[in-house]
Amino acid sequence: MRVIAIDGPAGVGKSTIARRLAERLGWAYLDSGALYRALTHAALQSEVALDDGAALAALARDLELSLEPQGVVRVDGLDVSAALRTPAVARGVSSVAAVPAVRAVMVVHQRRFAEGKTGVVAEGRDMGTVVFPDAVIKLFLDADPEERARRRLDQGQEVGPDADMGRVRADLEARDAQDRGRAVAPLAQAADAERLDTTQMTPDEVFEAVWMRVRSVIRP
Ligand code: CDP
């Protein structure tokens, strides 16, 4: 099993690139953020407080979370994919993801997902640093906060009807600060990852740059 790890901050375009890359290679696509979002959604539904680490960890252990290779996420068998991009989930997910016992459960899920597959393109915050330290390629995608806010606003998802640039940018930056500042598996570039600043690049240009790199290592 070979892994390509793609990490980076919110709104940088990891999903677009990772999904396309997985498709081109015929590999599975692992959206690790979807697992944290699914748990956050479940916590909001069951009225578990998002600052109650012990209750969140218990919920993570009790729920049957599953990720399907095409990106569908199920909680206890129900497809929750459509509910993962609401503003409420976006606002709460970083507190949930900061709980060490929650991360321990998620790491098991993520490694199990990869087991037995030929190849996996895994995207998130700690794919290269913690979950798949032996990844054959590690990329850290970055872009200026203003540009990331613009991309998120263009996507229209998760920002809510009254969103403006200032608000979207503030939300992204708050989430990044929380993700970078947590004690366990913070958002960080792995020592052996390559950083790509995509601020001035179109999605096609990013994909081509990534694809050149992948071809030089993997020769599909
Ligand atoms: O798509 P976007 O970059 O906005 O977020 P995401 O990949 O869906 O991740 C949502 C949140 O989950 C992040 O802000 C992190 O708090 C958490 N996360 C994490 O802690 N570790 C990962 N490997 C992936 C996501």
Side-chain angles (χ1 to χ4, degrees):
M1 183 258 299
R2 288 182 294 181
V3 175
I4 296 176
I6 304 184
D7 291 302
V12 74
K14 299 180 297 292
S15 304
T16 310
I17 298 301
R19 224 182 261 278
R20 223 170 126 180
L21 191 56
E23 205 169 293
R24 176 84 67 98
L25 289 165
W27 288 13
Y29 163 57
L30 170 55
D31 176 1
S32 61
L35 284 172
Y36 292 97
R37 286 174 181 267
L39 178 61
T40 306
H41 171 66
L44 292 169
Q45 296 282 88
S46 54
E47 292 176 20
V48 166
L50 298 189
D51 59 358
D52 185 344
L56 289 167
L59 191 62
R61 282 188 293 263
D62 289 349
L63 291 175
E64 194 197 311
L65 291 170
S66 75
L67 263 182
E68 293 173 10
Q70 295 315 314
V72 170
V73 188
R74 290 183 193 279
V75 176
D76 290 340
L78 274 181
D79 182 351
V80 296
S81 318
L84 302 186
R85 292 267 158 199
T86 61
V89 168
R91 247 175 272 123
V93 63
S94 286
S95 323
V96 174
V99 179
V102 163
R103 302 201 70 83
V105 174
M106 297 308 189
V107 169
V108 172
H109 272 295
Q110 291 155 15
R111 293 193 180 137
R112 197 177 295 148
F113 174 93
E115 260 168 35
K117 298 205 163 60
T118 315
V120 177
V121 181
E123 77 131 307
R125 303 292 184 286
D126 59 345
M127 298 296 99
T129 49
V130 174
V131 183
F132 301 111
D134 298 331
V136 287
I137 298 177
K138 297 183 184 180
L139 299 168
F140 191 87
L141 300 188
D142 214 343
D144 289 350
E146 188 74 11
E147 172 60 17
R148 293 191 282 114
R150 200 186 57 71
R151 291 176 189 173
R152 186 70 12 133
L153 203 58
D154 280 355
Q155 272 180 335
Q157 291 170 310
E158 113 176 12
V159 293
D162 54 351
D164 61 62
M165 274 292 279
R167 173 76 194 278
V168 174
R169 179 175 168 168
D171 283 355
L172 286 187
E173 288 191 294
R175 185 139 63 87
D176 287 348
Q178 227 176 324
D179 290 344
R180 285 185 203 278
R182 68 181 171 228
V184 175
L187 164 63
Q189 181 177 344
D192 51 353
E194 233 172 281
R195 179 174 179 276
L196 185 61
D197 186 330
T198 69
T199 306
Q200 309 283 345
M201 297 167 84
T202 66
D204 282 348
E205 287 169 345
V206 178
F207 184 76
E208 282 315 311
V210 169
W211 182 244
M212 297 269 281
R213 174 82 186 108
V214 168
R215 278 186 50 155
S216 71
V217 174
I218 290 176
R219 305 191 185 286

